[in-house]
Amino acid sequence: MKIPACLPALASTVTSAAVSVSTSATTPAAPTVAASTTPVGLLVPLYEYPTGTTATADWQALIDAIDAHPQLPFYVIVNDGNGPPYSPNPPSSMPDWAQWIDLINARSNAKTIGYIYTSASARDYATLTSAVDQYAAWTTTAGFTNNASAYDIHIDGIFFDEIDTQPSKLSNNVALTTYAKTAFAGRGGPVVLNPGTLVQAGSESLFDLADSILQIETCYAKSSEATDPGNVLRCPAGGYTPFTTATPATLGTNATRSAKSSIVVHDFYEQWSPFEAASAASLQAGIDAVVNQGVHSFYFTTYGYTTNFTSAPASITDVAAYAAQIQNLS
Ligand SMILES: *[C@@H]1O[C@H](CO)[C@@H](O)[C@H](O)[C@H]1NC(C)=O
Ligand SMILES: *[C@@H]1O[C@H](CO)[C@@H](O)[C@H](O)[C@H]1NC(C)=O
Ligand SMILES: *[C@@H]1O[C@H](CO)[C@@H](O)[C@H](O)[C@H]1NC(C)=O
């Protein structure tokens, strides 16, 4: 999975939003929840192949959370093997995914968004647009010889991973985002860009095109040698800025940009070795800070993106419950 092995520090690329801090005494000091009309949703990076007892328990927990909180938006990233292009399309693995995509599509507060990596906005453009087209072409599984059910496998939006927002990449990023917005117009799902760090000065126009930009993707663990199942060191000490309740405010005071930003925090434990779990109170404090920033969407995982979605404290069940509770959503 294309989980960044080493997430850059957050501090170096503050956007020009900081300019607006003190222009008027009537400007609120920080965005408030009440000011936003669409609830802050969950951007769920459930990059877990949906077979086997553990994985299907995680997918079922997601479906149950969607049902438990009908007013809470869920944007579920669909990622089968790092995304298209597939041959054939839909991929031959689709019978394993179909019933879950169908269950999400049957729920009005949930949207499916297709994963595409961009290799730091440098992947071949024709390949990227072909990947967008492939997701857009998914309809049902009718005709699959090994699973004849006509599951609804349509996709509502796109998640572009590994976006580089340096200005030299802007025209490429603009073209790609515009292409996806056009291809998915009317489907109601977001087009999300993931630089994982704050948008660089000069590329702010991306906020006018994307539905959300994942500007903060980081670990909670303060220092750790944790490796994922692929043996990738995810949270190397010094290689990332650990999430604290002060982190969401680094998005700045421009409420429009916060409302088009996402935050994903993984490895939500205090220490890997010896393992020290994070508390539920820490999770709630983190979610409070993220929601109070007025973002588009967020997620917290106890470990990574490929397993442990039912592990405490950041289980799908509890992340969704806190997100709904703090926003007074049913
Ligand atoms: C806030 O962000 C939006 C979207 O990027 C931009 O159009 C607007 O000019 C910004 N406002 C200020 C005060 O910087
Ligand atoms: C389709 O595939 C899924 C996942 O393998 C399975 O659970 C389901 O029972 C299959 N449906 C049919 C009708 O074979
Ligand atoms: C992930 O799940 C496994 C199996 O339930 C468990 O042994 C492990 O402690 C979990 N890891 C975390 C970080 O919660």
PDB file of all heavy atoms in Angstrom, residues 141-173:
ATOM      1  N   THR A 141     -21.860  -5.721 -10.840  1.00  0.00           N
ATOM      2  CA  THR A 141     -21.099  -6.939 -11.086  1.00  0.00           C
ATOM      3  C   THR A 141     -21.848  -7.935 -11.951  1.00  0.00           C
ATOM      4  O   THR A 141     -21.411  -9.074 -12.088  1.00  0.00           O
ATOM      5  CB  THR A 141     -20.729  -7.640  -9.770  1.00  0.00           C
ATOM      6  OG1 THR A 141     -21.910  -7.780  -8.987  1.00  0.00           O
ATOM      7  CG2 THR A 141     -19.663  -6.878  -9.019  1.00  0.00           C
ATOM      8  N   ALA A 142     -22.968  -7.520 -12.510  1.00  0.00           N
ATOM      9  CA  ALA A 142     -23.691  -8.433 -13.388  1.00  0.00           C
ATOM     10  C   ALA A 142     -22.744  -8.940 -14.467  1.00  0.00           C
ATOM     11  O   ALA A 142     -22.007  -8.165 -15.070  1.00  0.00           O
ATOM     12  CB  ALA A 142     -24.875  -7.727 -14.025  1.00  0.00           C
ATOM     13  N   GLY A 143     -22.727 -10.234 -14.673  1.00  0.00           N
ATOM     14  CA  GLY A 143     -21.872 -10.787 -15.706  1.00  0.00           C
ATOM     15  C   GLY A 143     -20.617 -11.439 -15.167  1.00  0.00           C
ATOM     16  O   GLY A 143     -19.960 -12.179 -15.887  1.00  0.00           O
ATOM     17  N   PHE A 144     -20.269 -11.161 -13.917  1.00  0.00           N
ATOM     18  CA  PHE A 144     -19.126 -11.851 -13.328  1.00  0.00           C
ATOM     19  C   PHE A 144     -19.481 -13.327 -13.159  1.00  0.00           C
ATOM     20  O   PHE A 144     -20.408 -13.673 -12.453  1.00  0.00           O
ATOM     21  CB  PHE A 144     -18.775 -11.251 -11.964  1.00  0.00           C
ATOM     22  CG  PHE A 144     -17.827 -10.087 -12.036  1.00  0.00           C
ATOM     23  CD1 PHE A 144     -18.234  -8.866 -12.540  1.00  0.00           C
ATOM     24  CD2 PHE A 144     -16.510 -10.218 -11.604  1.00  0.00           C
ATOM     25  CE1 PHE A 144     -17.362  -7.802 -12.616  1.00  0.00           C
ATOM     26  CE2 PHE A 144     -15.633  -9.152 -11.674  1.00  0.00           C
ATOM     27  CZ  PHE A 144     -16.048  -7.931 -12.182  1.00  0.00           C
ATOM     28  N   THR A 145     -18.732 -14.201 -13.826  1.00  0.00           N
ATOM     29  CA  THR A 145     -19.113 -15.611 -13.831  1.00  0.00           C
ATOM     30  C   THR A 145     -18.958 -16.255 -12.457  1.00  0.00           C
ATOM     31  O   THR A 145     -19.655 -17.200 -12.131  1.00  0.00           O
ATOM     32  CB  THR A 145     -18.264 -16.394 -14.848  1.00  0.00           C
ATOM     33  OG1 THR A 145     -16.891 -16.134 -14.564  1.00  0.00           O
ATOM     34  CG2 THR A 145     -18.596 -15.964 -16.261  1.00  0.00           C
ATOM     35  N   ASN A 146     -18.021 -15.734 -11.646  1.00  0.00           N
ATOM     36  CA  ASN A 146     -17.824 -16.351 -10.339  1.00  0.00           C
ATOM     37  C   ASN A 146     -18.618 -15.667  -9.234  1.00  0.00           C
ATOM     38  O   ASN A 146     -18.456 -15.967  -8.069  1.00  0.00           O
ATOM     39  CB  ASN A 146     -16.332 -16.379  -9.967  1.00  0.00           C
ATOM     40  CG  ASN A 146     -15.728 -14.989  -9.936  1.00  0.00           C
ATOM     41  OD1 ASN A 146     -16.293 -14.059 -10.497  1.00  0.00           O
ATOM     42  ND2 ASN A 146     -14.587 -14.864  -9.303  1.00  0.00           N
ATOM     43  N   ASN A 147     -19.423 -14.708  -9.585  1.00  0.00           N
ATOM     44  CA  ASN A 147     -20.299 -14.077  -8.605  1.00  0.00           C
ATOM     45  C   ASN A 147     -21.367 -13.326  -9.370  1.00  0.00           C
ATOM     46  O   ASN A 147     -21.211 -12.166  -9.723  1.00  0.00           O
ATOM     47  CB  ASN A 147     -19.517 -13.121  -7.695  1.00  0.00           C
ATOM     48  CG  ASN A 147     -20.361 -12.698  -6.511  1.00  0.00           C
ATOM     49  OD1 ASN A 147     -21.569 -12.557  -6.631  1.00  0.00           O
ATOM     50  ND2 ASN A 147     -19.708 -12.507  -5.373  1.00  0.00           N
ATOM     51  N   ALA A 148     -22.486 -14.001  -9.595  1.00  0.00           N
ATOM     52  CA  ALA A 148     -23.472 -13.511 -10.551  1.00  0.00           C
ATOM     53  C   ALA A 148     -24.341 -12.384 -10.011  1.00  0.00           C
ATOM     54  O   ALA A 148     -25.073 -11.748 -10.764  1.00  0.00           O
ATOM     55  CB  ALA A 148     -24.365 -14.656 -11.006  1.00  0.00           C
ATOM     56  N   SER A 149     -24.275 -12.108  -8.709  1.00  0.00           N
ATOM     57  CA  SER A 149     -25.126 -11.058  -8.159  1.00  0.00           C
ATOM     58  C   SER A 149     -24.798  -9.717  -8.800  1.00  0.00           C
ATOM     59  O   SER A 149     -23.645  -9.365  -8.971  1.00  0.00           O
ATOM     60  CB  SER A 149     -24.912 -10.919  -6.659  1.00  0.00           C
ATOM     61  OG  SER A 149     -25.567 -11.941  -5.982  1.00  0.00           O
ATOM     62  N   ALA A 150     -25.826  -8.957  -9.098  1.00  0.00           N
ATOM     63  CA  ALA A 150     -25.620  -7.647  -9.702  1.00  0.00           C
ATOM     64  C   ALA A 150     -25.438  -6.601  -8.602  1.00  0.00           C
ATOM     65  O   ALA A 150     -26.276  -5.749  -8.371  1.00  0.00           O
ATOM     66  CB  ALA A 150     -26.786  -7.297 -10.604  1.00  0.00           C
ATOM     67  N   TYR A 151     -24.322  -6.710  -7.921  1.00  0.00           N
ATOM     68  CA  TYR A 151     -24.036  -5.718  -6.883  1.00  0.00           C
ATOM     69  C   TYR A 151     -23.788  -4.354  -7.519  1.00  0.00           C
ATOM     70  O   TYR A 151     -23.199  -4.248  -8.594  1.00  0.00           O
ATOM     71  CB  TYR A 151     -22.786  -6.131  -6.098  1.00  0.00           C
ATOM     72  CG  TYR A 151     -22.974  -7.329  -5.206  1.00  0.00           C
ATOM     73  CD1 TYR A 151     -22.248  -8.502  -5.411  1.00  0.00           C
ATOM     74  CD2 TYR A 151     -23.857  -7.294  -4.126  1.00  0.00           C
ATOM     75  CE1 TYR A 151     -22.398  -9.597  -4.576  1.00  0.00           C
ATOM     76  CE2 TYR A 151     -24.010  -8.384  -3.288  1.00  0.00           C
ATOM     77  CZ  TYR A 151     -23.276  -9.534  -3.521  1.00  0.00           C
ATOM     78  OH  TYR A 151     -23.429 -10.613  -2.699  1.00  0.00           O
ATOM     79  N   ASP A 152     -24.206  -3.300  -6.799  1.00  0.00           N
ATOM     80  CA  ASP A 152     -23.958  -1.919  -7.238  1.00  0.00           C
ATOM     81  C   ASP A 152     -22.546  -1.536  -6.789  1.00  0.00           C
ATOM     82  O   ASP A 152     -22.296  -1.334  -5.605  1.00  0.00           O
ATOM     83  CB  ASP A 152     -24.998  -0.990  -6.594  1.00  0.00           C
ATOM     84  CG  ASP A 152     -24.745   0.488  -6.890  1.00  0.00           C
ATOM     85  OD1 ASP A 152     -23.781   0.809  -7.622  1.00  0.00           O
ATOM     86  OD2 ASP A 152     -25.518   1.326  -6.374  1.00  0.00           O
ATOM     87  N   ILE A 153     -21.624  -1.451  -7.745  1.00  0.00           N
ATOM     88  CA  ILE A 153     -20.224  -1.155  -7.404  1.00  0.00           C
ATOM     89  C   ILE A 153     -19.800   0.228  -7.912  1.00  0.00           C
ATOM     90  O   ILE A 153     -18.608   0.500  -8.047  1.00  0.00           O
ATOM     91  CB  ILE A 153     -19.262  -2.231  -7.956  1.00  0.00           C
ATOM     92  CG1 ILE A 153     -19.413  -2.371  -9.479  1.00  0.00           C
ATOM     93  CG2 ILE A 153     -19.501  -3.569  -7.250  1.00  0.00           C
ATOM     94  CD1 ILE A 153     -18.260  -3.147 -10.138  1.00  0.00           C
ATOM     95  N   HIS A 154     -20.774   1.110  -8.152  1.00  0.00           N
ATOM     96  CA  HIS A 154     -20.373   2.422  -8.680  1.00  0.00           C
ATOM     97  C   HIS A 154     -19.546   3.181  -7.634  1.00  0.00           C
ATOM     98  O   HIS A 154     -19.671   2.954  -6.429  1.00  0.00           O
ATOM     99  CB  HIS A 154     -21.591   3.242  -9.113  1.00  0.00           C
ATOM    100  CG  HIS A 154     -22.243   4.009  -8.012  1.00  0.00           C
ATOM    101  ND1 HIS A 154     -23.277   3.509  -7.254  1.00  0.00           N
ATOM    102  CD2 HIS A 154     -21.983   5.246  -7.521  1.00  0.00           C
ATOM    103  CE1 HIS A 154     -23.631   4.407  -6.350  1.00  0.00           C
ATOM    104  NE2 HIS A 154     -22.863   5.473  -6.476  1.00  0.00           N
ATOM    105  N   ILE A 155     -18.707   4.067  -8.140  1.00  0.00           N
ATOM    106  CA  ILE A 155     -17.812   4.877  -7.304  1.00  0.00           C
ATOM    107  C   ILE A 155     -18.257   6.343  -7.432  1.00  0.00           C
ATOM    108  O   ILE A 155     -18.651   6.792  -8.514  1.00  0.00           O
ATOM    109  CB  ILE A 155     -16.346   4.688  -7.759  1.00  0.00           C
ATOM    110  CG1 ILE A 155     -15.899   3.234  -7.542  1.00  0.00           C
ATOM    111  CG2 ILE A 155     -15.401   5.662  -7.046  1.00  0.00           C
ATOM    112  CD1 ILE A 155     -15.753   2.791  -6.109  1.00  0.00           C
ATOM    113  N   ASP A 156     -18.205   7.076  -6.300  1.00  0.00           N
ATOM    114  CA  ASP A 156     -18.759   8.433  -6.261  1.00  0.00           C
ATOM    115  C   ASP A 156     -17.735   9.549  -6.416  1.00  0.00           C
ATOM    116  O   ASP A 156     -18.095  10.686  -6.718  1.00  0.00           O
ATOM    117  CB  ASP A 156     -19.485   8.654  -4.927  1.00  0.00           C
ATOM    118  CG  ASP A 156     -20.638   7.701  -4.724  1.00  0.00           C
ATOM    119  OD1 ASP A 156     -21.490   7.591  -5.621  1.00  0.00           O
ATOM    120  OD2 ASP A 156     -20.694   7.054  -3.653  1.00  0.00           O
ATOM    121  N   GLY A 157     -16.466   9.260  -6.140  1.00  0.00           N
ATOM    122  CA  GLY A 157     -15.455  10.322  -6.177  1.00  0.00           C
ATOM    123  C   GLY A 157     -14.070   9.713  -6.284  1.00  0.00           C
ATOM    124  O   GLY A 157     -13.915   8.500  -6.481  1.00  0.00           O
ATOM    125  N   ILE A 158     -13.055  10.555  -6.166  1.00  0.00           N
ATOM    126  CA  ILE A 158     -11.666  10.102  -6.363  1.00  0.00           C
ATOM    127  C   ILE A 158     -10.781  10.617  -5.237  1.00  0.00           C
ATOM    128  O   ILE A 158     -10.951  11.747  -4.749  1.00  0.00           O
ATOM    129  CB  ILE A 158     -11.122  10.616  -7.731  1.00  0.00           C
ATOM    130  CG1 ILE A 158     -11.856   9.939  -8.892  1.00  0.00           C
ATOM    131  CG2 ILE A 158      -9.610  10.400  -7.849  1.00  0.00           C
ATOM    132  CD1 ILE A 158     -11.564   8.457  -9.102  1.00  0.00           C
ATOM    133  N   PHE A 159      -9.814   9.785  -4.838  1.00  0.00           N
ATOM    134  CA  PHE A 159      -8.784  10.166  -3.862  1.00  0.00           C
ATOM    135  C   PHE A 159      -7.430  10.067  -4.555  1.00  0.00           C
ATOM    136  O   PHE A 159      -6.984   8.970  -4.901  1.00  0.00           O
ATOM    137  CB  PHE A 159      -8.839   9.208  -2.666  1.00  0.00           C
ATOM    138  CG  PHE A 159      -7.836   9.508  -1.574  1.00  0.00           C
ATOM    139  CD1 PHE A 159      -8.093  10.465  -0.598  1.00  0.00           C
ATOM    140  CD2 PHE A 159      -6.636   8.806  -1.503  1.00  0.00           C
ATOM    141  CE1 PHE A 159      -7.176  10.721   0.420  1.00  0.00           C
ATOM    142  CE2 PHE A 159      -5.716   9.058  -0.486  1.00  0.00           C
ATOM    143  CZ  PHE A 159      -5.987  10.023   0.474  1.00  0.00           C
ATOM    144  N   PHE A 160      -6.814  11.222  -4.811  1.00  0.00           N
ATOM    145  CA  PHE A 160      -5.490  11.239  -5.437  1.00  0.00           C
ATOM    146  C   PHE A 160      -4.422  11.288  -4.351  1.00  0.00           C
ATOM    147  O   PHE A 160      -4.281  12.301  -3.655  1.00  0.00           O
ATOM    148  CB  PHE A 160      -5.329  12.466  -6.347  1.00  0.00           C
ATOM    149  CG  PHE A 160      -6.082  12.396  -7.650  1.00  0.00           C
ATOM    150  CD1 PHE A 160      -7.074  13.319  -7.946  1.00  0.00           C
ATOM    151  CD2 PHE A 160      -5.776  11.426  -8.598  1.00  0.00           C
ATOM    152  CE1 PHE A 160      -7.757  13.277  -9.161  1.00  0.00           C
ATOM    153  CE2 PHE A 160      -6.447  11.372  -9.815  1.00  0.00           C
ATOM    154  CZ  PHE A 160      -7.440  12.297 -10.096  1.00  0.00           C
ATOM    155  N   ASP A 161      -3.662  10.203  -4.231  1.00  0.00           N
ATOM    156  CA  ASP A 161      -2.612  10.129  -3.214  1.00  0.00           C
ATOM    157  C   ASP A 161      -1.305  10.704  -3.772  1.00  0.00           C
ATOM    158  O   ASP A 161      -1.120  10.801  -4.988  1.00  0.00           O
ATOM    159  CB  ASP A 161      -2.404   8.664  -2.817  1.00  0.00           C
ATOM    160  CG  ASP A 161      -1.746   8.529  -1.450  1.00  0.00           C
ATOM    161  OD1 ASP A 161      -1.549   9.543  -0.761  1.00  0.00           O
ATOM    162  OD2 ASP A 161      -1.418   7.379  -1.071  1.00  0.00           O
ATOM    163  N   GLU A 162      -0.430  11.080  -2.842  1.00  0.00           N
ATOM    164  CA  GLU A 162       0.935  11.503  -3.181  1.00  0.00           C
ATOM    165  C   GLU A 162       0.958  12.737  -4.085  1.00  0.00           C
ATOM    166  O   GLU A 162       1.761  12.831  -5.016  1.00  0.00           O
ATOM    167  CB  GLU A 162       1.705  10.356  -3.860  1.00  0.00           C
ATOM    168  CG  GLU A 162       1.734   9.086  -3.041  1.00  0.00           C
ATOM    169  CD  GLU A 162       2.370   7.907  -3.774  1.00  0.00           C
ATOM    170  OE1 GLU A 162       2.464   7.955  -5.017  1.00  0.00           O
ATOM    171  OE2 GLU A 162       2.781   6.957  -3.107  1.00  0.00           O
ATOM    172  N   ILE A 163       0.088  13.672  -3.810  1.00  0.00           N
ATOM    173  CA  ILE A 163       0.097  14.937  -4.572  1.00  0.00           C
ATOM    174  C   ILE A 163       1.243  15.812  -4.063  1.00  0.00           C
ATOM    175  O   ILE A 163       1.475  15.940  -2.863  1.00  0.00           O
ATOM    176  CB  ILE A 163      -1.253  15.668  -4.403  1.00  0.00           C
ATOM    177  CG1 ILE A 163      -2.374  14.909  -5.120  1.00  0.00           C
ATOM    178  CG2 ILE A 163      -1.157  17.115  -4.890  1.00  0.00           C
ATOM    179  CD1 ILE A 163      -2.332  14.969  -6.634  1.00  0.00           C
ATOM    180  N   ASP A 164       1.967  16.396  -4.991  1.00  0.00           N
ATOM    181  CA  ASP A 164       3.020  17.361  -4.666  1.00  0.00           C
ATOM    182  C   ASP A 164       2.478  18.743  -5.025  1.00  0.00           C
ATOM    183  O   ASP A 164       2.137  18.986  -6.191  1.00  0.00           O
ATOM    184  CB  ASP A 164       4.273  17.038  -5.493  1.00  0.00           C
ATOM    185  CG  ASP A 164       5.447  17.960  -5.190  1.00  0.00           C
ATOM    186  OD1 ASP A 164       5.228  19.044  -4.599  1.00  0.00           O
ATOM    187  OD2 ASP A 164       6.580  17.599  -5.570  1.00  0.00           O
ATOM    188  N   THR A 165       2.372  19.640  -4.027  1.00  0.00           N
ATOM    189  CA  THR A 165       1.759  20.950  -4.303  1.00  0.00           C
ATOM    190  C   THR A 165       2.778  22.044  -4.607  1.00  0.00           C
ATOM    191  O   THR A 165       2.449  23.225  -4.551  1.00  0.00           O
ATOM    192  CB  THR A 165       0.860  21.418  -3.131  1.00  0.00           C
ATOM    193  OG1 THR A 165       1.676  21.606  -1.956  1.00  0.00           O
ATOM    194  CG2 THR A 165      -0.245  20.417  -2.849  1.00  0.00           C
ATOM    195  N   GLN A 166       4.006  21.669  -4.937  1.00  0.00           N
ATOM    196  CA  GLN A 166       4.930  22.743  -5.319  1.00  0.00           C
ATOM    197  C   GLN A 166       4.402  23.402  -6.600  1.00  0.00           C
ATOM    198  O   GLN A 166       3.814  22.746  -7.474  1.00  0.00           O
ATOM    199  CB  GLN A 166       6.360  22.232  -5.486  1.00  0.00           C
ATOM    200  CG  GLN A 166       6.576  21.244  -6.600  1.00  0.00           C
ATOM    201  CD  GLN A 166       8.065  20.925  -6.763  1.00  0.00           C
ATOM    202  OE1 GLN A 166       8.795  21.708  -7.357  1.00  0.00           O
ATOM    203  NE2 GLN A 166       8.487  19.797  -6.219  1.00  0.00           N
ATOM    204  N   PRO A 167       4.576  24.740  -6.696  1.00  0.00           N
ATOM    205  CA  PRO A 167       3.963  25.483  -7.807  1.00  0.00           C
ATOM    206  C   PRO A 167       4.311  24.939  -9.193  1.00  0.00           C
ATOM    207  O   PRO A 167       3.497  25.036 -10.115  1.00  0.00           O
ATOM    208  CB  PRO A 167       4.492  26.907  -7.606  1.00  0.00           C
ATOM    209  CG  PRO A 167       4.721  27.005  -6.132  1.00  0.00           C
ATOM    210  CD  PRO A 167       5.213  25.638  -5.708  1.00  0.00           C
ATOM    211  N   SER A 168       5.485  24.332  -9.350  1.00  0.00           N
ATOM    212  CA  SER A 168       5.845  23.806 -10.671  1.00  0.00           C
ATOM    213  C   SER A 168       4.921  22.658 -11.091  1.00  0.00           C
ATOM    214  O   SER A 168       4.839  22.339 -12.278  1.00  0.00           O
ATOM    215  CB  SER A 168       7.297  23.324 -10.675  1.00  0.00           C
ATOM    216  OG  SER A 168       7.447  22.204  -9.826  1.00  0.00           O
ATOM    217  N   LYS A 169       4.222  22.065 -10.124  1.00  0.00           N
ATOM    218  CA  LYS A 169       3.289  20.973 -10.432  1.00  0.00           C
ATOM    219  C   LYS A 169       1.848  21.464 -10.532  1.00  0.00           C
ATOM    220  O   LYS A 169       0.941  20.663 -10.751  1.00  0.00           O
ATOM    221  CB  LYS A 169       3.375  19.889  -9.342  1.00  0.00           C
ATOM    222  CG  LYS A 169       4.758  19.306  -9.089  1.00  0.00           C
ATOM    223  CD  LYS A 169       5.098  18.236 -10.093  1.00  0.00           C
ATOM    224  CE  LYS A 169       6.472  17.612  -9.838  1.00  0.00           C
ATOM    225  NZ  LYS A 169       6.576  16.784  -8.647  1.00  0.00           N
ATOM    226  N   LEU A 170       1.654  22.768 -10.334  1.00  0.00           N
ATOM    227  CA  LEU A 170       0.278  23.271 -10.227  1.00  0.00           C
ATOM    228  C   LEU A 170      -0.564  22.985 -11.464  1.00  0.00           C
ATOM    229  O   LEU A 170      -1.691  22.493 -11.352  1.00  0.00           O
ATOM    230  CB  LEU A 170       0.271  24.775  -9.914  1.00  0.00           C
ATOM    231  CG  LEU A 170      -1.127  25.401  -9.788  1.00  0.00           C
ATOM    232  CD1 LEU A 170      -1.911  24.763  -8.653  1.00  0.00           C
ATOM    233  CD2 LEU A 170      -1.024  26.913  -9.594  1.00  0.00           C
ATOM    234  N   SER A 171      -0.011  23.252 -12.643  1.00  0.00           N
ATOM    235  CA  SER A 171      -0.833  23.089 -13.851  1.00  0.00           C
ATOM    236  C   SER A 171      -1.239  21.634 -14.030  1.00  0.00           C
ATOM    237  O   SER A 171      -2.375  21.325 -14.417  1.00  0.00           O
ATOM    238  CB  SER A 171      -0.101  23.616 -15.086  1.00  0.00           C
ATOM    239  OG  SER A 171       1.092  22.888 -15.288  1.00  0.00           O
ATOM    240  N   ASN A 172      -0.327  20.730 -13.701  1.00  0.00           N
ATOM    241  CA  ASN A 172      -0.638  19.302 -13.769  1.00  0.00           C
ATOM    242  C   ASN A 172      -1.724  18.934 -12.756  1.00  0.00           C
ATOM    243  O   ASN A 172      -2.680  18.213 -13.077  1.00  0.00           O
ATOM    244  CB  ASN A 172       0.644  18.508 -13.496  1.00  0.00           C
ATOM    245  CG  ASN A 172       0.499  17.046 -13.852  1.00  0.00           C
ATOM    246  OD1 ASN A 172       0.168  16.716 -14.985  1.00  0.00           O
ATOM    247  ND2 ASN A 172       0.726  16.175 -12.888  1.00  0.00           N
ATOM    248  N   ASN A 173      -1.585  19.451 -11.519  1.00  0.00           N
ATOM    249  CA  ASN A 173      -2.570  19.151 -10.481  1.00  0.00           C
ATOM    250  C   ASN A 173      -3.940  19.740 -10.820  1.00  0.00           C
ATOM    251  O   ASN A 173      -4.976  19.116 -10.552  1.00  0.00           O
ATOM    252  CB  ASN A 173      -2.086  19.683  -9.122  1.00  0.00           C
ATOM    253  CG  ASN A 173      -0.917  18.880  -8.564  1.00  0.00           C
ATOM    254  OD1 ASN A 173      -0.798  17.682  -8.834  1.00  0.00           O
ATOM    255  ND2 ASN A 173      -0.062  19.528  -7.787  1.00  0.00           N
TER     256      ASN A 173
END
